[in-house]
Amino acid sequence: MTILKILQYPDERLHKVAAPISVVTDEIRLLAQDMAETMYTANGIGLAATQVDAHQRLIVIDVSDTRDQLHVFINPEIIAVKGESDYQEGCLSVPGIFEKIKRAENITIRATGLDGNLFELDADGLFAVCIQHEMDHLMGRVFIEYLSQLKQSRIRSKLKKRQRDVKP
Ligand code: NI
């Protein structure tokens, strides 16, 4: 397995829109495996293919404390939503920034699994929030884009400064 490089905001490639996956090939299964490994290594709870510069509709999620409940969603679609929540969100592409974002509290999702079969699943709480956050990535959207322009530009300068500081 390979640990992939996670794009860091404000990298322009985070704004690419991912393409649907027409066939679940070995290549896709390998990408999902590498993404899961990358997510676990970075102590994240979710990762979208967009974040590793692979612009296909694939996300991996594990919100369990035991880190052994991996979910892989290919071509995910939200088919029903209910309620509202505002969890404090973070993102492996926007390290050190945590902000409350309004999302649906309950969702029903339809997606393809690694076996190529369609399935539907109900999610709520953190799991539902995480799915919505990762699906936004596939549309080229980063969570801080829900914030005011002022807040976004502050975050951008903070991250740019930090990225400059760590360069040799
Ligand atoms: Ni994210």
Side-chain angles (χ1 to χ4, degrees):
M1 269 182 263
T2 314
I3 307 296
L4 305 166
K5 192 172 174 290
I6 300 173
L7 298 179
Q8 299 297 300
Y9 186 84
D11 192 307
E12 276 305 308
R13 291 169 290 180
L14 285 169
H15 303 305
K16 283 193 189 177
V17 176
I21 292 169
S22 49
V23 189
V24 181
T25 58
D26 283 348
E27 205 176 310
I28 293 295
R29 277 185 278 266
L30 183 66
L31 174 60
Q33 239 177 49
D34 288 344
M35 281 171 56
E37 193 67 15
T38 303
M39 171 185 77
Y40 286 127
T41 303
N43 285 317
I45 57 172
L47 192 67
T50 307
Q51 292 176 275
V52 294
D53 203 21
H55 301 280
Q56 309 196 70
R57 292 189 57 81
L58 167 63
I59 62 179
V60 298
I61 292 180
D62 187 345
V63 293
S64 72
D65 291 333
T66 43
R67 314 298 280 152
D68 58 359
Q69 308 280 314
L70 180 67
H71 291 271
V72 177
F73 300 106
I74 295 166
N75 301 330
E77 258 182 282
I78 292 173
I79 55 175
V81 298
K82 212 172 67 188
E84 206 177 76
S85 69
D86 60 343
Y87 273 79
Q88 180 123 310
E89 298 185 21
C91 180
L92 293 175
S93 292
V94 195
I97 307 290
F98 300 92
E99 295 285 346
K100 277 192 169 176
I101 307 291
K102 273 197 171 45
R103 306 273 189 189
E105 170 72 23
N106 303 280
I107 61 172
T108 304
I109 184 170
R110 180 186 294 146
T112 300
L114 285 177
D115 56 6
N117 294 324
L118 265 183
F119 64 94
E120 284 182 15
L121 175 142
D122 293 319
D124 61 10
L126 179 61
F127 188 28
V129 165
C130 191
I131 293 171
Q132 293 169 81
H133 175 118
E134 302 313 331
M135 285 182 66
D136 271 356
H137 276 300
L138 299 179
M139 296 306 294
R141 178 172 259 229
V142 179
F143 79 110
I144 57 169
E145 287 163 358
Y146 287 104
L147 304 171
S148 70
Q149 287 297 332
L150 179 65
K151 241 176 166 175
Q152 285 184 54
S153 71
R154 280 191 189 143
I155 290 171
R156 261 196 305 274
S157 1
K158 193 170 165 185
L159 290 174
K160 276 185 186 160
K161 183 176 182 298
R162 205 189 293 155
Q163 284 163 16
R164 265 199 312 272
D165 290 348
V166 297
K167 271 182 192 144

